[in-house]
Each structure stands twice: as C-alpha cells, then as structure tokens.
Amino acid sequence: MTDANATDTELSPDRDFSVRRRLFFLEVSTNRIQAMNPDGSGRKVIVADCQLPDGIAIDVGNSHIYWTNMGSGVAVNDGSIERVNIDGSARKVIVPPGVTFTPKQIQIDQRGGKLYWCDREGMQVMRCNLDGSEIETLIEAGRGDMDRRDPTRWCIGVTIDTERRKIYWSQKGPDNAGRGRIFRADIDIPRGEHPANRSDIEVLFNGLPEPIHLEFDLANRVLYWTDRGDPPRGNTVNRARVDIGTEPEILITHLMEGIGIALDVAGNQMFITDLAGSIYSADLDGKNKRNLLWSQGNFTGIGYAEI
C-alpha cells in the first residue's frame, strides 16, 4: 500500500530528493533479501538463509524489514514471518511456524501498527501487531485438506486502504485457468460475523488468469496488480480505479511470471519482479519500462522505501 500525495503523472513539488531511495527484494532461489538503488546500482545482500521468502514490507518509521517465509514448499504447516533491522541486524521470528501455513504477500499499516498478509494453503487473510502479537484471521476462504486442494481458495496478494479501512486480496485459481479473482471487504469483521461467512465481501474482478501481488495508490485510489498467467491477459501488470467501477487496464506485457510490485507514486514509478529473475521499472502508466536486473535468479516480493 502506497500512501502518497502526488498524482500519477506528476512529481510532488515538495519531495525531498536528499532522502535515500532503496528497493528491497526477495530472491527465492537463494533464500536471500537484497537491496539496491532504484537504478539497479548499489546491490547488496541484507539477509541470508530465509525459507522460500515471498512477501516483504518496510517499516521506515522503526527501521524494520518484515518478510514472509513460505516454509518447506510442500503441504506442511511451517510458514513464518520474520523481522530484521534495515541494516540486517537483530533478526527475529515474530510469527513462528505452525501459525500461518504458507504466508505470501505482506503489507504494513504503520499508522495502525498492524501487519496484513495472505496465507495460500491456509486459505486466509490474516493480521497481527508489529511485534507478532494478537494474530487474527480476517478472511477464511476454506478449511481442511479437501478445500486446500482447490486453488480457487488460495489467498495470495493483499493490500489495504487505510483511509476507508478496506482490505483487498487476490485468489489466483488453478494455473492459467482464467479463474483468478480480486476481492474487497472492510478491514474489520462485521459485528456478529465470522471470517468464513462475512456479508461484506465484494468480488471486484473475476475471470483473471492468475492475479498475484497487489499495491494500492491511496492518493489516486488506484489498485495495481501483477498477473503470472498466460498472455494476452497474463504475464502483465494491471491497474483499475476501484471507486468508479472501471475495467482493468493492462499496463505492461511480456513478463515471465510477474510476482512482486512496488510503487513510488511521488516519483511516478513502479517496480516489478518476475520469477524468471528480472526486475523492471516503469512509469505508473506502464511507459518507459526498463530492466534493472535480468535473468539473475528467481525473484518474488519487492518493496520500495525512502530511508
């Protein structure tokens, strides 16, 4: 989720260009967190020995990096969430194995002091405090081994609208099946209801190839997402204005299994990873796409921060 005050075509006039701008990204093939400048320079390893990392969130105020570990990669409930200082020190497990099955994308609400993430085989959208306490399930799309075999129930990407207190998430469906969906609901469960039977859930988009990670431009109220399914609608970056019912707009094509996305709204930039090992930058309208890294592993989540 990106909280900024610039339009998606202009730089903020009061932007502090002395601030250090950094990208943090996950390399699942080597189980590392790396960082670099937005032009691809200054690359360095921050954390090693992760366990299939997928989602990343940067807490600039407290100088923390949070990330999800999918676990062993098989049908075992051993996912976890960890935290480390931005310089790589003071590594700590905040959500231990056995609490979340296969955690995927993660987002931070700094103002509310909460982490939000999707759990794929757990078929849930969850949240907790920044220290890992008060773990809650907000959405339950399925339960048990039989439901777990149904990919339409898998929760993958998540983002939040902190102003209107909404949560958005994706359920990708089977590979290249055109059954992917993006949902929206209130952040808090309606009184007297349960995560499995909420009355406030909306399906915003369906029939998508395989929607993966989400980002929300709060200032302009635009939802962005990657899709790793087959062309022409898959292997893409997409966006839609969520409050006026517009159809999705395809911004970027010809990715190789698009996964991570991060926005720099004030700088009119997005950053995208694909599983084939590339990282791209582009304008928020998809123009001026260029490669920052090319065929260098298998990348998943990406985060942008000004530190």
Side-chain angles (χ1 to χ4, degrees):
M1 186 274 296
T2 299
D3 186 353
N5 296 312
T7 70
D8 59 359
T9 57
E10 297 177 342
L11 297 180
S12 175
D14 58 354
R15 188 178 191 195
D16 182 0
F17 288 95
S18 68
V19 171
R20 192 181 187 198
R21 304 165 64 229
R22 293 289 275 172
L23 294 174
F24 298 85
F25 55 97
L26 304 173
E27 188 176 6
V28 72
S29 51
T30 59
N31 285 315
R32 300 186 300 181
I33 300 175
Q34 300 186 59
M36 67 181 182
N37 298 322
D39 63 0
S41 65
R43 183 177 176 184
K44 65 179 292 186
V45 174
I46 303 295
V47 179
D49 300 319
C50 304
Q51 194 174 24
L52 297 183
D54 187 85
I56 187 167
I58 315 302
D59 179 354
V60 175
N62 295 304
S63 297
H64 288 152
I65 302 170
Y66 293 88
W67 77 96
T68 60
N69 294 301
M70 292 186 287
S72 62
V74 297
V76 178
N77 187 4
D78 65 348
S80 63
I81 298 175
E82 296 189 64
R83 184 184 74 195
V84 72
N85 291 340
I86 281 179
D87 64 4
S89 64
R91 182 174 177 177
K92 180 180 181 180
V93 175
I94 63 163
V95 177
V99 176
T100 180
F101 207 110
T102 317
K104 299 288 283 180
Q105 191 179 12
I106 189 169
Q107 297 279 6
I108 185 168
D109 173 9
Q110 287 186 280
R111 187 182 307 168
K114 294 285 186 180
L115 295 170
Y116 292 78
W117 72 93
C118 272
D119 185 338
R120 187 178 64 194
E121 274 83 4
M123 302 167 287
Q124 297 175 334
V125 181
M126 306 179 73
R127 73 177 172 191
C128 69
N129 293 333
L130 297 184
D131 62 0
S133 62
E134 295 188 27
I135 297 171
E136 304 172 78
T137 297
L138 303 178
I139 304 293
E140 185 179 294
R143 181 183 295 185
D145 289 341
M146 183 173 293
D147 284 351
R148 204 172 346 267
R149 290 192 288 269
D150 178 2
T152 64
R153 299 178 182 271
W154 292 354
C155 301
I156 307 294
V158 65
T159 193
I160 49 175
D161 174 355
T162 54
E163 283 188 353
R164 302 190 185 180
R165 295 188 59 76
K166 297 286 185 180
I167 188 166
Y168 295 79
W169 72 98
S170 63
Q171 293 176 209
K172 81 176 191 68
D175 293 350
N176 304 312
R179 298 177 65 189
R181 294 170 291 174
I182 295 177
F183 297 83
R184 177 172 64 189
D186 293 337
I187 280 182
D188 298 311
I189 300 172
R191 186 181 299 274
E193 297 186 2
H194 184 272
N197 65 358
R198 295 180 57 157
S199 61
D200 62 334
I201 294 175
E202 306 172 67
V203 179
L204 292 184
F205 307 107
N206 57 25
L208 303 177
E210 290 182 62
I212 307 294
H213 285 192
L214 312 178
E215 278 293 327
F216 192 64
D217 172 358
L218 186 63
N220 298 294
R221 306 205 53 77
V222 178
L223 181 69
Y224 290 76
W225 68 92
T226 55
D227 196 305
R228 66 178 287 187
D230 280 345
R233 296 182 68 193
N235 284 327
T236 56
V237 176
N238 308 262
R239 72 177 177 184
R241 296 187 181 276
V242 295
D243 296 333
I244 57 177
T246 58
E247 287 297 310
E249 175 187 7
I250 296 176
L251 304 175
I252 295 174
T253 60
H254 298 93
L255 299 178
M256 297 293 290
E257 297 191 65
I259 303 291
I261 183 168
L263 305 181
D264 169 16
V265 174
N268 187 35
Q269 277 192 300
M270 68 171 84
F271 305 94
I272 310 104
T273 63
D274 70 38
L275 202 57
S278 296
I279 297 180
Y280 308 92
S281 68
D283 297 346
L284 290 179
D285 61 5
K287 296 177 181 177
N288 297 315
K289 174 189 167 188
R290 69 187 188 98
N291 281 91
L292 302 179
L293 298 178
W294 177 259
S295 297
Q296 299 194 30
N298 300 109
F299 298 130
T300 50
I302 189 168
Y304 168 81
E306 298 182 353
I307 57 177

